[in-house]
Amino acid sequence: MGAKPAIAESVARSALVEAMRAGDSVRGLTSPNPPVGAVILNAEGEIVGVGATQPPGSAHAEIMALRAAGERARGGTAVVTLEPCNHTGRTGPCSQALIAAGIAAVDYLHADPNPVATGGAAALAAAGLKVRQVSAPDAAGVSDALIPWLLSVREQRPHVTLKFAQTLDGFTAAIDGTSQWITGTQARQWVHADRARRDAIIIGTGTAFADDPSLTARYPDGSLSEHQPRRVVIGRRDLTAAGDVARNLRRLGYEQYPSVEEALVGLYAEGARDVLVEGGAGLASAFLEADLVDAISAYVAPVLLGAGRGVLDRALVQTLALAPRFHRVETIALGEDVLIEYAR
Ligand code: AOF
Ligand code: ZN
């Protein structure tokens, strides 16, 4: 049976890009669950359903895509960014839903490292579906939204991105401490959109006192994004007795942890999987010293200061050969500024 030709490679690849886009669109909304994307192709290779993970406790990506496809899924292909789950957790097993819908083939990007949910690929193959693991297309112009979640399952702590804005000569503030508007409008808008995709934003008590940040994600018109990350302060100083400083955080609410390690343990336990560290220099140094930085978002502005405050506030190593190195994942031009994304 099943003399049906497999769908063309190019069709499978563009369906995967579409699935990755769908997963990317729900970043920040799914934790502790993964932001998965799924595409259903009919037997002719046409897209008949797209879906993404719903907030925790509700439908997985495959179920959303199958619902959209309806009867058109029969004999078709499912392309998903994560191996379909095989367990009954808060929802039923997606492997069984794919089989019941009459899906003939499944392409998945990442194996599921979650011991509770794994086994979907084997179950699908045992039921006679054509199952294969595929790799991410290079230069697809879409990022892999599952990277933070996959690391968090492996390390049992949130994925950490260190973010900073610096002048061309490597400073984050002038000698008088002024640091606002190093980067331009586009970069600042990008930062806000990025915040809305994270589970938490972390700063040190020093920055909370000095800058009185609100740590909110806002649209260009100043209104708040629907998803607000948790606001987190690390350090031992008491913000509640701070008088006139840290007023924004006191008004909006925040969580405080005494150390980097305790923060990551606490945030993971509360479901955070993808967090952004926004400074200052002391906190950035502490995260790097503990080897707890998985990615860096460096915003570089064409401004020169000659002297000022640096990204870090102390030596990480005594000699270059021992310095931690990162590799470049992406560069994005934002007006006159450049965002460079690095991974460990
Ligand atoms: C998702 N969305 O699209 C897929 C997931 O808590 P549960 O019962 O919803 O199960 C969550 C687990 O299911 C998750 O850790 C992952 O291993 C697997 N797949 N989860 O939220 C999805 N495909
Ligand atoms: Zn599932």
Side-chain angles (χ1 to χ4, degrees), residues 23 26-37 52-54 56 59-61 81-83 90 112-114 145-146 148-150 152-153 273:
V26 294
R27 273 189 70 181
L29 308 177
T30 65
S31 289
N33 281 352
V36 178
T53 306
Q54 299 302 293
H60 290 183
T81 60
L82 184 67
E83 177 186 356
R90 285 176 284 195
D112 193 335
N114 177 0
L146 285 181
W149 183 82
L150 291 166
S152 76
V153 172
R273 298 292 177 264

Side-chain angles (χ1 to χ4, degrees), residues 9-223:
E9 249 344 279
S10 62
V11 171
R13 232 184 348 262
S14 52
L16 178 59
V17 171
E18 208 49 56
M20 290 173 75
R21 278 209 188 100
D24 200 50
S25 74
V26 294
R27 273 189 70 181
L29 308 177
T30 65
S31 289
N33 281 352
V36 178
V39 165
I40 306 292
L41 302 167
N42 64 13
E44 284 69 49
E46 295 153 351
I47 293 183
V48 290
V50 180
T53 306
Q54 299 302 293
S58 33
H60 290 183
E62 298 91 322
I63 304 305
M64 297 304 290
L66 282 174
R67 271 184 208 161
E71 268 307 306
R72 295 171 297 175
R74 203 154 290 281
T77 300
V79 181
V80 287
T81 60
L82 184 67
E83 177 186 356
C85 71
N86 199 37
H87 74 304
T88 300
R90 285 176 284 195
T91 66
C94 291
S95 53
Q96 295 311 314
L98 291 163
I99 294 165
I103 289 289
V106 176
D107 278 6
Y108 66 94
L109 180 58
H110 296 287
D112 193 335
N114 177 0
V116 176
T118 191
L124 290 163
L129 281 74
K130 235 167 85 181
V131 182
R132 54 177 198 167
Q133 185 169 12
V134 292
S135 49
D138 334 313
V142 58
S143 60
D144 188 341
L146 285 181
I147 285 175
W149 183 82
L150 291 166
L151 178 130
S152 76
V153 172
R154 210 163 55 233
E155 302 283 329
Q156 297 287 295
R157 63 159 176 84
H159 177 277
V160 175
T161 300
L162 173 63
K163 174 236 139 181
F164 49 81
Q166 64 160 66
T167 65
L168 255 190
D169 53 345
F171 297 105
T172 58
I175 47 178
D176 70 351
T178 47
S179 64
Q180 273 200 312
W181 322 141
I182 285 180
T183 50
T185 325
Q186 284 191 44
R188 292 202 299 275
Q189 287 176 5
W190 192 278
V191 168
H192 279 279
D194 186 45
R195 282 177 170 178
R197 295 148 50 94
R198 308 287 181 172
D199 297 328
I201 297 180
I202 306 177
I203 57 168
T205 44
T207 300
F209 279 100
D211 295 353
D212 190 19
S214 67
L215 299 187
T216 50
R218 297 185 296 278
Y219 291 114
D221 69 1
S223 63

Side-chain angles (χ1 to χ4, degrees), residues 329-344:
V329 175
E330 202 172 357
T331 55
I332 300 163
L334 297 167
E336 294 291 332
D337 308 319
V338 183
L339 163 60
I340 317 170
E341 298 198 312
Y342 295 97
R344 188 79 163 100

